[in-house]
Amino acid sequence: MSRRPEPVQVIKQRRDATLQKLVDGVPYVQFLGINFDRRGDELTGVLPYDDKLIGNPMLPALHGGVTAAFLEVTAIIELSWSMIWEDMESTKSVEDTPRALLPKTIDFTVDYLRSGLPRDAYARARINRSGRRYASVHVEAWQDNRSRLFAQATGHFLMPQRDG
C-alpha cells in the first residue's frame, strides 16, 4: 500500500520553517534586516531599506559594505539551501545547527556597478559549481529593474563537511 502524499500546506510550512531557521542562525542578517522570498527552491534575497544602511548621506547611497554583505549573505544562504533541499524533500529532518550548514568564504569579489539608491534591494545567487568541498557562486543585485544591476559578485566557498 502506497503512502499518501503530504498536503501542500505541510510541505510549504516545512520549507519555510527550515529556511527561517537557516536565516535566524546568522545574527548579522537580522541586523541588516535581510529576508528571503522563496518560490519553490528559488530564493531571492530582500534587503528592505533602512536609514542605517546609508553610507553617503549626501547622495544618498547604500554603504558599500552593506552591499557586499548583502551579496555575500545571499550567496551563503543559497549554497546552504541547495545543500539541505534534498534532505528536506525526502522528509529527513534537518538536524544540523544552522551554523554547521554555512559555507566559509574563501574569497569574494564585488563589482559596484552604480550607487545603491535609498530603497529596497534584491539579489539572486547562481551556483556555478558545487562539489563536496568547494563551491563557486555568482550573485546579482538590483533595485527597481532586474535588468539594471547595481552590484554583482563572485565568490568561492569552502563547503561544510556532512555525514553520509
Side-chain angles (χ1 to χ4, degrees):
M1 187 163 161
S2 65
R3 268 186 25 188
R4 295 189 72 191
E6 286 184 288
V8 173
Q9 211 46 42
V10 171
I11 294 169
K12 284 180 72 171
Q13 287 171 349
R14 181 176 63 244
R15 290 174 180 169
D16 290 342
T18 302
L19 177 60
Q20 196 58 53
K21 181 179 174 186
L22 189 61
V23 171
D24 288 347
V26 185
Y28 194 52
V29 172
Q30 273 74 60
F31 174 76
L32 293 176
I34 299 170
N35 58 70
F36 288 85
D37 179 36
R38 184 190 63 75
R39 300 283 182 250
D41 69 340
E42 184 179 75
L43 297 179
T44 301
V46 180
L47 177 66
Y49 175 74
D50 189 320
D51 285 339
K52 72 181 178 190
L53 305 178
I54 294 296
N56 184 344
M58 299 303 286
L59 290 176
L62 288 179
H63 191 285
V66 169
T67 299
F70 177 46
L71 292 167
E72 188 174 8
V73 162
T74 301
I76 288 170
I77 296 297
E78 177 67 36
L79 277 171
S80 298
W81 184 246
S82 68
M83 235 173 39
I84 62 176
W85 180 261
E86 284 183 30
D87 288 351
M88 186 176 50
E89 291 307 288
S90 66
T91 66
K92 272 202 264 180
S93 72
V94 181
E95 293 179 16
D96 287 338
T97 61
R99 206 174 266 323
L101 296 171
L102 297 176
K104 305 286 185 264
T105 305
I106 297 170
D107 65 60
F108 200 74
T109 305
V110 179
D111 298 324
Y112 298 95
L113 307 173
R114 60 179 47 87
S115 293
L117 301 172
R119 55 184 65 133
D120 293 356
Y122 308 93
R124 281 213 187 121
R126 181 184 70 247
I127 300 170
N128 294 327
R129 179 196 184 284
S130 182
R132 288 185 347 183
R133 297 188 40 79
Y134 164 89
S136 173
V137 181
H138 180 75
V139 192
E140 297 179 336
W142 70 96
Q143 289 182 304
D144 297 327
N145 183 337
R146 177 93 158 79
S147 65
R148 276 184 52 87
L149 303 178
F150 75 94
Q152 63 183 2
T154 301
H156 301 98
F157 299 87
L158 184 63
M159 300 302 287
Q161 295 298 311
R162 300 195 58 190
D163 298 333

